[in-house]
Amino acid sequence: MRLSKTEKMMLEGRYGEACKRSLELIMAIAESYGCGELIKIKSAHVSGVSYKNIGDAGLEHLKDLAEEGAKVRVKTTMNPCGFDLDKPWLFDVDETFFKKQLEIIKSLEAMGIRPSLTCTPYYSDNKPRIGDHIAWAESSAVIYVNSVISAYTNRESGLSALAAAITGRTALTNEHMDERRPSVVVEVSAKISDYSDWGLLGFVVGKLVPDEAPLIKVRRGVRATNDKLKCFSAGLGASSATSIFWTTVQGFPEPRDLKHVIVTNKDLKDARDKWALTRKPTVVFIGCPHCSLRELKEIAEELKGRRVKGDIMLLISTSRGVYRRASKLGLLDVFERAGAYLVKDTCLVVSPIKLSRNDVVLTDSAKTAYYAETMINATRALGSRRACLKEALGT
Ligand code: F3S
């Protein structure tokens, strides 16, 4: 493998043992992809932060790295943890979980990683620019920054993103090349508008073409806002190995000779029917991926002057950065007065919240509905954002 002078010095251990081992990991990954070079990165985002996901083995690994003096060489942010650090009581956190979660965050911070605790760091804490080469984990964020921001990142794992952060390098794969192109056209004849439609569409596309880079062709008049493309990215990431997509509108020229697949109303309906609401929800969850400020403003409008039903918990998750901005705009009062919980730092999937099969979680996120199968012990249902709020408010 061709290495720069600095990379050779890292390999000789001149930047410390942790940096050496991290570079060895990045090189092994690069070799497994047949890459002969590494590329310098501008930022990293690490996943595997919740104690629920990484357990004691993950915690020990991070503690070892921190004790060895590992430091990140680029701006690095972290994914959500198991609870809102200001409201741990909301997530049934016991003493052990609480202590170990804080140890994880402390170890990451000791390496210089910002405690952003969000899967949408691009809204405030870590905003890549067009053309930036970066090393991000968290599939929804990877797909979003590649596809919507036009940055370049591999679909890193928590471990490889951390190693990339420590070395400032990642494998120079095709994902970092200008030649990345769509490999399939997905014609969407289905009607899509709500956030949940976009998330479900991403999930269905991922199931149909799990190893492709799709060009999504929507009907004229369909408005794909960045927040909706974020939901699409999350759905796509949950059901596929894809790291990028493109969008176009029907009638516009497209690359020739590509295979076509069609997503119809029936495809979306069939997928939605699997997560149909059959009983009254006990938990309504919005914010997978974490909500933007615009989304919070829309939700606050719906909540104004209303009250969440007493037997329902309405949970809305966002990032710390967006939470602070929402607070300045007075939105927190609206959520509080309505009896809704606006939380940061976490989400339903990575929290240890104790639910039972008698609980019904209604969400507008296909990703949460999918992961709830194994990560949350409750019945799950998918609905539009409006339907979620209507159920919570009993209107
Ligand atoms: Fe984010 Fe949790 Fe969804 S980490 S993408 S809100 S599963």
Side-chain angles (χ1 to χ4, degrees), residues 49-112:
V49 177
S50 170
Y51 177 64
K52 178 178 175 181
N53 294 3
I54 66 171
D56 287 329
L59 167 60
E60 288 313 313
H61 172 67
L62 296 177
K63 273 166 79 174
D64 287 348
L65 278 172
E67 275 162 23
E68 277 179 76
K71 295 276 180 226
V72 297
R73 295 169 73 85
V74 293
K75 181 201 283 181
T76 307
T77 40
M78 54 177 101
N79 230 25
C81 71
F83 51 87
D84 182 327
L85 297 196
D86 294 323
K87 301 185 190 90
W89 44 269
L90 202 52
F91 298 92
D92 304 320
V93 176
D94 64 28
E95 213 176 301
T96 309
F97 193 106
F98 184 79
K99 187 173 147 277
K100 297 198 175 193
Q101 182 63 77
L102 293 191
E103 280 178 346
I104 291 172
I105 296 169
K106 203 171 132 211
S107 301
L108 291 168
E109 282 194 86
M111 292 184 236

Side-chain angles (χ1 to χ4, degrees), residues 119-123 128 134 136 138-151 153 225-234 236 242-245 289 292:
C119 47
T120 56
Y122 43 81
Y123 283 145
I134 58 181
W136 282 32
E138 170 48 50
S139 62
S140 68
V142 165
I143 297 176
Y144 184 88
V145 295
N146 276 335
S147 316
V148 180
I149 300 185
S150 297
T153 177
T225 63
N226 286 357
D227 290 335
K228 288 177 179 170
L229 293 177
K230 170 193 71 172
C231 297
F232 179 86
S233 302
L236 183 62
T242 303
S243 58
I244 189 168
F245 69 87
S292 67

